[in-house]
Amino acid sequence: MAHYSIAIVGAGPAGYFTAQALQNAQNEDRTFSIDLFERLPTMWGLVRLGVAPDHPKIKTVAKVFEKVAAEPNFRLFGNIEIGKDIDIEDLTSRYDAVVMCTGSAIGRKLGIPGEDLPGSLSAAEFVPWYNGHPDFAALNIDLSGTTAVVIGAGNVAMDCARMLAINPIELDPTDTTDHALATFHGSNIRKVYIAGRRGVEHAAFTAPELRDLPKLEHTDVYIDADQVSEAHARAAAAGEIEKHVASNLEAWRLIAEHPKSGHERSMEFRFLSAPKEIKGNDKVEEVIFGINKIENGKVVDTGETYSIPCSLVISAIGYQAAPINGVYFHNGIIENEAGRVLGTNIYTVGWAKRGPSGVIGTNKSDASDVVDLLISDLKEPKETMDIAMLIPAGHQVIDQSAWAKINAAEAAAGEPVGKPRVKEVSWAKLLSLGLN
Ligand code: NAP
C-alpha cells in the first residue's frame, strides 16, 4: 500500500473535481492525502464568483464540492497564495504531485483605440464586481447612462448583458452582492447591445441560455429576423448543419418571433459587427463598429462602419491565466501536454490547462483524465512532511472549519431577507468571520 500526498492549487470547480477524482482513484494499492490551497478566503471559484446570480441552479454543484471537502483525506488551506505566501518549489519538493487549478482570471484585451477610457471595462472586472470578489468590490461602475454595449458573443457576454438589462427586482432574491444590487437599482441603463463580430450561426452562446431569453419578464430581446434566416441559409448551404448550431438557430428564430411587450428595458443582438474604436472625450461616448459580411464562408470587412452611442462598454472576449511565480505560462495557459507540465511533478486541470472553454461540468472529465496521467507517473511516495513549516508565521489560514463558519454566516444573513446568502466582500471581514 502506497500513500501519496497531493497539493491542489485553486479551490474552484477544477480543484474540487481533481480532489474528487483522486478520492475515487483510491484502492487497496494506493491512498491519497489531499491539500487544497486557495488564495482567497472564500471557496468554489467561479461557482461563487463567476456564475450569474440569476442562475442559482448552476451553483448547486457546490454541494458536491463540500462532500469532497468532508472526506477525511482532504484539508483546506485558504487565504494562502502560492507563488507569494508559499513558493511553488516548496510544494513540488514536498508533495508527490502538485495540480494547478488556478483558472483564467484576466480578461483578453480588444486592442482597439479608446479601450482604456473610463466606462470601458472587461467582464473579468464586471463579473467579479457583482459577484463579490474582494479584489473588485471597490470598483466604481457607472450606470448613469442609458445605453451599454457588450462586446463578444459568448455566455459571459450574455451574463453581463442580462445583468444590465433585467429589472433589478429580479435580482433581489439572489446572492448578487449588496453593493452591486444597489448600483443596479440606481441604474439608468435601459438598452443593452450585444455585438458579435461574425454571423449569428458562429455565436458561442449555448442554446439553453438563448432559450431563456424570451422568458425574461421585464426585458424585450431583439434579433433581426432576416439575419437569423440568412444565417440559416448560409449554414444549410455549407452542408449538414451541426446539431448545436441547429438548436441555436431554432432558439434565435423563437427570439426573433417572440412578441415584444414594449418594456422600457431591452437587449439587442448585433452580428457581423467588429469593434474598431471606442470614442469619447474623457469617458466612453460611442463604439465604432466595422460591418462584416460573409463571402464564400469567410468573414470579410466591408469597409463600412456604424456607431452605437453609449456610456458603458464591457468586453467579454475570453480570458487568460494570471501569472504565478515559478510557473511557466504560454499563450494565456500553463504550458502543458494533456495536463502534464513536462519535466516536473506539476499537473494542471481546468481553464489554466485548456483555456477558458466549457461549462463547469467539463472540468469533471478533465480532472479525471489528468488524475489518470498523474497516477500513471507516480513512483515511490515522498517522505511525509510537516505542512505547518510551509505556512508563514502568524498567517491566518482559512481551513475547512473556518470556511464552514464563513459559509454559515453568509447563509444565515440571507435567510431573513429571502436570499440564498448575503456575501461578505471585505477580505478582513471574511477572515474575522472565519475566526468566530
Ligand atoms: P467564449 O464562449 O469563447 O466567447 C468569446 C466570444 O468573444 C466569442 O464570440 C468570440 O468571437 C468573441 N471575441 C473574441 N475576440 C474578439 C474580438 N477581438 N472582438 C470581438 N469579439 C471577440 O468565451 P466566454 O463567453 O468568456 O465563455 C467562456 C466559457 O465559459 C465558455 O465555454 C462558456 O460557454 C462558459 N460559460 C458558460 C456559462 C453557462 O453555461 N451559463 C456562463 C458563462 C460562461 P469569435 O468566435 O469570432 O472568436
Side-chain angles (χ1 to χ4, degrees), residues 72 230 292:
E230 283 160 22
N292 285 337

Side-chain angles (χ1 to χ4, degrees), residues 152-156 159 197-198 204 209 275 316-317 319 351 356-359:
N155 285 336
V156 171
D159 284 347
R197 61 181 172 179
R198 298 193 286 151
E209 278 62 36
I317 58 164
Y319 295 83
W351 282 11
S357 67
V359 291

Side-chain angles (χ1 to χ4, degrees), residues 114-245:
E115 187 172 16
D116 296 323
L117 277 172
S120 162
L121 68 155
S122 164
E125 300 165 281
F126 184 59
V127 173
W129 168 77
Y130 63 63
N131 272 328
H133 191 304
D135 292 348
F136 296 87
L139 273 189
N140 176 24
I141 306 284
D142 181 358
L143 305 182
S144 59
T146 57
T147 305
V149 170
V150 181
I151 295 173
N155 285 336
V156 171
M158 173 87 85
D159 284 347
C160 293
R162 232 184 28 256
M163 290 298 287
L164 289 165
I166 63 179
N167 188 321
I169 57 170
E170 296 172 72
L171 295 173
D172 287 341
T174 72
D175 65 2
T176 310
T177 49
D178 286 348
H179 64 254
L181 198 54
T183 308
F184 287 130
H185 273 285
S187 167
N188 289 331
I189 302 281
R190 293 296 179 269
K191 178 95 193 177
V192 181
Y193 291 92
I194 308 183
R197 61 181 172 179
R198 298 193 286 151
V200 179
E201 70 275 36
H202 303 124
F205 306 121
T206 48
E209 278 62 36
L210 292 172
R211 282 197 294 263
D212 276 347
L213 292 177
K215 298 179 199 154
L216 293 178
E217 275 182 55
H218 305 276
T219 310
D220 284 328
V221 182
Y222 293 89
I223 168 80
D224 179 9
D226 289 344
Q227 278 208 339
V228 177
S229 42
E230 283 160 22
H232 198 281
R234 281 193 301 264
E240 200 182 327
I241 305 180
E242 282 179 76
K243 213 171 147 204
H244 76 275
V245 177

